[in-house]
Amino acid sequence: MPSLRIYIDSLLEGAAPKVPRRELSHLERLELVRRHGDFSLAYSTAVQQKLSYFSDGDGYIAFGTKMKHHFALGDPVVHPSDRLGYIRRFVEAAGGPWFVQIGAETARVLAGLGYQVNRLGIDTRLVLPAHDFSGKRNETVRYSERWLSKKGYSFAEDRRNIFLDEIARLSENWRGERIVKRWEMGFLNRPFADHLGTDMRRFVLHGPDGELVALLDFDPLFSDGKVIGYTTAFKRKHIDATPHAEIGLTKFAVDRFREEGISVVTLGLSPLVDIEASGFAESSFWRSTFQRAYGSAWINRSKFNLQGQAAFKRRFHGQEQPTYVAFRKGTLVEMLGLLRLVKAI
């Protein structure tokens, strides 16, 4: 069956509109991200495998293809003054592609091109140094860090990839409690790697007995060649870890970034949270479907814990920035292609 599915997928993808693709090297993509990669998914678009690139060499739009349809990932990695032209050319070449997890500026451009734009969820931003975990509302976050320290846990940054064997074991253990254990999601996420990529940061938590309990990996955000922030890329924790582990380790990492003068940390997408009217022309069908999916006990229990992920990120009381999905038609077949691309089904 898998081989038949792969064969059918290849036939369908061959029937998709022929988009000019540019073979950008890994180093070329990273260089463009260092110039224009100031949004949460930018680094992932440069390093994730199996993406294609629409590019003239001065920027790119990363996209994937499934079931005859093209899906752009995130905003264009290009100078803001060139965004409109890039989007126009890609839309024409790709025959009305979807744009997934985009920001407000890209959404506004697409709305002007006749797209429907729906809210997809929120990205939580901790704007530094103003966000400092002080005050009553952050009391539980501070308590988690204190509790871990009192119980003999230790925080550290792993800059030299010195815990690789432990990390491999931890990741395998973590997968054992996932709702879907056989594979990791893709496109919106990339597969976890034991080794850190260029400019990534990793923070680790060891228990009182020295065992690795949790880790957090961060992708960099850039502007004009400089790191301006970080976004949470991967989280791993032991299935028996205390609930304080992930909270305390996140606080520890954010505090280190603040001390370094970093301006922002984003916690990444919380899918389907606060699905309200987008402010653009939109699909009422998909708005109500997203709302029902977020509230569905079956989806949260057997597919993806949407509510749990949102609740965790809201513990840190950051700014909640809407993200969007945009499409011309928004058919069920197109949505099926997207769900298969992200490996949700």
Side-chain angles (χ1 to χ4, degrees):
M1 182 63 70
S3 59
L4 177 61
R5 185 173 65 247
I6 292 171
Y7 175 71
I8 293 173
D9 281 346
S10 66
L11 290 179
L12 291 173
E13 289 169 25
K18 305 302 183 203
V19 180
R21 291 165 164 85
R22 182 158 181 154
E23 295 297 329
L24 296 170
S25 71
H26 180 76
L27 292 178
E28 287 174 324
R29 298 194 301 269
L30 285 179
E31 177 57 30
L32 289 170
V33 165
R34 288 190 178 103
R35 284 153 52 187
H36 311 302
D38 61 354
F39 59 95
S40 292
L41 277 179
Y43 185 86
S44 192
T45 67
V47 302
Q48 185 175 165
Q49 296 182 358
K50 299 183 179 180
L51 293 178
S52 298
Y53 298 92
F54 179 80
S55 173
D56 62 3
D58 292 326
Y60 66 76
I61 292 177
F63 67 98
T65 305
K66 185 67 69 174
M67 297 179 64
K68 291 176 60 175
H69 300 288
H70 300 300
F71 301 88
L73 178 60
D75 299 311
V77 178
V78 69
H79 191 278
S81 63
D82 295 327
R83 181 182 288 121
L84 173 59
Y86 250 86
I87 292 173
R88 281 184 183 275
R89 294 193 300 274
F90 180 65
V91 166
E92 181 178 355
W98 283 43
F99 287 75
V100 185
Q101 198 177 331
I102 55 175
E105 291 302 316
T106 300
R108 191 169 295 111
V109 170
L110 289 165
L113 296 177
Y115 268 68
Q116 298 179 77
V117 179
N118 281 58
R119 288 183 62 154
L120 182 65
I122 58 173
D123 188 356
T124 303
R125 298 173 62 87
L126 310 181
V127 180
L128 310 178
H131 191 287
D132 62 1
F133 299 117
S134 63
K136 185 174 180 60
R137 66 178 186 170
N138 288 305
E139 184 175 352
T140 57
V141 176
R142 298 194 303 273
Y143 176 80
S144 289
E145 185 182 47
R146 292 197 306 270
W147 187 93
L148 291 167
S149 296
K150 289 180 180 179
K151 297 295 183 179
Y153 289 78
S154 60
F155 302 91
E157 180 174 3
D158 179 12
R159 288 183 174 270
R160 297 179 295 162
N161 286 315
I162 59 177
F163 302 115
L164 292 181
D165 290 342
E166 290 181 276
I167 287 166
R169 290 194 297 271
L170 178 65
S171 185
E172 188 65 24
N173 176 273
W174 173 87
R175 285 178 60 81
E177 71 167 359
R178 297 298 91 195
I179 293 174
V180 178
K181 300 178 176 62
R182 291 173 296 168
W183 64 81
E184 294 190 51
M185 297 185 73
F187 195 60
L188 294 177
N189 302 93
R190 65 186 189 275
F192 175 75
D194 299 343
H195 285 80
L196 286 176
T198 304
D199 295 314
M200 290 180 66
R201 303 278 293 272
R202 170 173 288 163
F203 295 85
V204 293
L205 177 70
H206 284 87
D209 59 357
E211 179 186 9
L212 182 64
V213 173
L215 70 81
L216 283 176
D217 287 354
F218 292 86
D219 288 346
L221 305 176
F222 293 96
S223 180
D224 295 326
K226 297 181 179 180
V227 175
I228 60 169
Y230 290 93
T231 187
T232 306
F234 299 106
K235 299 183 287 186
R236 294 290 188 270
K237 67 176 181 179
H238 196 279
I239 58 174
D240 296 325
T242 168
H244 295 297
E246 192 174 346
I247 300 170
L249 186 56
T250 301
K251 180 183 182 299
F252 175 81
V254 173
D255 285 343
R256 301 293 83 71
F257 292 144
R258 186 188 306 104
E259 292 168 1
E260 296 170 8
I262 293 299
S263 62
V264 63
V265 175
T266 76
L267 303 184
L269 177 68
S270 296
L272 308 189
V273 177
D274 287 351
I275 301 299
E276 304 168 352
S278 68
F280 304 101
E282 67 176 326
S283 165
S284 58
F285 170 78
W286 286 118
R287 177 169 18 123
S288 62
T289 299
F290 291 166
Q291 290 170 341
R292 290 196 301 272
Y294 182 77
S296 167
W298 176 77
I299 287 177
N300 279 273
R301 182 180 63 252
S302 63
K303 293 297 181 183
F304 191 85
N305 188 3
L306 299 164
Q307 295 175 6
Q309 185 175 104
F312 171 79
K313 293 176 182 178
R314 281 179 161 164
R315 289 176 178 270
F316 299 94
H317 300 286
Q319 298 178 4
E320 295 186 346
Q321 186 174 60
T323 64
Y324 304 89
V325 58
F327 41 76
R328 280 264 172 84
K329 297 178 181 178
T331 67
L332 288 170
V333 172
E334 290 171 339
M335 178 59 79
L336 178 61
L338 176 59
L339 291 174
R340 290 200 55 213
L341 189 61
V342 302
K343 299 183 180 179
I345 57 175

